[in-house]
Every structure is written in structure tokens, then in C-alpha cells.
């Protein structure tokens, strides 16, 4: 039996997965999105990739609330000396 090429397997799963998958970096910039994400948000890849994840939220208030909620969860579960600059203003 031939060995599976993990990169090809991942790419095939990523591209055909029925749910939206968006990969963002530490600065909250969209670096990759599968076809389901592009369909759901209604953007072609060229207009979606390398944009702020803010793009997928209806309002600035909704985006800010999401960041606050996520920061609170990180604060609750992180060790006392853990620092996550992504959520710091």
C-alpha cells in the first residue's frame, strides 16, 4: 500500500470540507479560506484573503464584542504568566 501524502490529504479535506474554514494569523488577517467559507460570505478568494477578519462581522460592535469574549476566555484558562498580545489594545 502506498504511503499517503499528508499534504495532499489535508488539501483535499480542506477544499472539500462542507463547513466554512478560515485560517487567520496573529494579526487577525485572513490567510486562507476553503470554498465553503467563500460561498458563505460571498467573496471570491482575491477579495477575501489578506483582509482583516473584521470582514466577516456585520458591525464593528459585533466584532469588538467577539474579541472581548475571546479575550475573557483566554484570561480564564491561561496560566498567570501567559501573555497573548493579540487581544491587548
Amino acid at each position: 500500500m502506498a504511503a499517503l501524502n499528508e499534504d495532499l490529504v489535508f488539501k483535499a479535506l480542506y477544499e472539500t470540507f462542507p463547513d466554512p474554514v478560515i485560517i487567520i494569523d496573529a494579526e487577525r488577517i485572513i490567510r486562507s479560506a476553503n470554498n465553503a467559507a467563500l460561498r458563505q460570505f460571498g467573496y471570491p478568494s482575491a477579495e477575501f484573503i489578506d483582509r482583516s477578519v473584521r470582514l466577516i462581522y456585520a458591525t464593528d460592535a459585533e466584532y469588538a464584542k467577539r474579541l472581548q469574549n475571546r479575550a475573557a476566555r483566554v484570561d480564564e484558562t491561561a496560566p498567570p504568566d501567559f501573555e497573548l498580545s493579540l487581544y491587548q489594545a
Side-chain angles (χ1 to χ4, degrees), residues 22-89:
I22 300 171
I23 299 172
I24 62 171
D25 66 14
E27 286 78 37
R28 303 198 54 79
I29 302 298
I30 299 168
R31 295 301 173 196
S32 182
N34 69 353
N35 291 327
L38 298 174
R39 278 191 306 275
Q40 178 169 328
F41 294 106
Y43 289 96
S45 182
E47 293 178 21
F48 200 65
I49 306 304
D50 296 329
R51 302 270 311 270
S52 169
V53 74
R54 160 60 185 94
L55 183 67
I56 68 173
Y57 293 91
T59 65
D60 287 337
E62 182 183 343
Y63 177 64
K65 183 177 181 179
R66 178 69 175 181
L67 287 178
Q68 290 172 345
N69 291 343
R70 182 159 295 177
R73 283 196 310 271
V74 168
D75 289 344
E76 291 171 0
T77 60
D81 60 344
F82 182 78
E83 182 178 328
L84 187 60
S85 62
L86 172 63
Y87 300 114
Q88 296 175 348

Side-chain angles (χ1 to χ4, degrees), residues 3-11:
L4 290 175
N5 181 321
E6 290 181 15
D7 291 337
L8 290 177
V9 170
F10 173 79
K11 184 176 181 181

